Amino acid sequence: MRLLGMKHDVVSFMGAISACANLGATEQGKEIHRVTIRKHLHTHLFVANSILDFSWAAIPLGNLGGCLGPYYR
């Protein structure tokens, strides 16, 4: 999108994070999460829900603390 000069919005971040969760693309999902933090979009309800879904899918079972860790800082 950036190469085409298009701006990201909440919907594009939601879609990208959800795709990373479904594909198991952990590193790309973490990078998108960092971008949402820099752009102050991580507090948007739908983006935050997508990030939580990604975290739950990307973190191995039994490591709930690793999934919820970013939300308790």
Side-chain angles (χ1 to χ4, degrees), residues 14-31:
M14 284 174 21
I17 294 169
S18 294
C20 289
N22 291 333
L23 296 172
T26 306
E27 291 306 314
Q28 292 83 358
K30 288 179 182 179
E31 177 61 29

Side-chain angles (χ1 to χ4, degrees), residues 2-3 5 12 15 18 26 30-32 42 52-54 61 65-66:
R2 284 187 289 189
L3 296 175
S12 59
S18 294
T26 306
K30 288 179 182 179
E31 177 61 29
I32 295 168
H42 65 289
L52 187 60
D53 287 343
F54 164 76
L61 289 177

Side-chain angles (χ1 to χ4, degrees), residues 5-69:
M6 299 174 73
K7 301 281 184 187
H8 329 347
D9 61 357
V10 172
V11 176
S12 59
F13 280 112
M14 284 174 21
I17 294 169
S18 294
C20 289
N22 291 333
L23 296 172
T26 306
E27 291 306 314
Q28 292 83 358
K30 288 179 182 179
E31 177 61 29
I32 295 168
H33 185 195
R34 286 189 286 270
V35 172
T36 61
I37 292 170
R38 281 196 306 267
K39 295 187 173 281
H40 304 288
L41 293 175
H42 65 289
T43 58
H44 187 282
L45 177 64
F46 297 136
V47 174
N49 190 35
S50 295
I51 292 169
L52 187 60
D53 287 343
F54 164 76
S55 297
W56 186 257
I59 307 280
L61 289 177
N63 189 4
L64 186 59
C67 174
L68 298 176

